Amino acid sequence: MAGQGSGGNVIAALCSFFFPGLGQLVQGRILAALLFFVSCAVLYFTVILWIVGAIIHLWAIIDAARYKSSGG
């Protein structure tokens, strides 16, 4: 697995930029991917809370970029 700051993390962050949770899915983190996708989807379609959805979307991008695998 690639470490933090690797090219794989850049690709994952780009994936999350276009589709919340996709970067986590690319990294093999299925639960995190589902949580980011569902929370963004629900909040983006809630008129009052769309800004919270945008913040979580940004969090998904940063999380994908900073992820460091615990495996050796």
Side-chain angles (χ1 to χ4, degrees), residues 2 26 35-36 39 56 63 68-70:
V26 167
L35 288 173
F36 279 121
S39 62
I56 293 175
D63 177 70
K68 185 173 181 180
S69 171
S70 62

Side-chain angles (χ1 to χ4, degrees), residues 3 40 52:
C40 283
V52 178

